[in-house]
Amino acid sequence: MLTDEMLLDSYQMAIELKLECDFIALLLAEIHKRKLEMNTAVVLH
């Protein structure tokens, strides 16, 4: 299990590295499940 900070960092890095959309969606789903706040600029990419 990732900490909230690690999850958000992983999501941001996955976006930057242009990893598979399915993996990014999985991270994003967990972020929403935990009701975490994200930097809007990261979400838009």
Side-chain angles (χ1 to χ4, degrees), residues 24-41:
I24 292 171
L26 183 67
L27 294 172
L28 189 57
E30 183 63 23
I31 289 168
H32 286 288
K33 179 180 167 185
R34 296 185 193 191
K35 297 180 172 125
L36 302 176
E37 293 185 22
M38 294 186 298
N39 179 338
T40 306

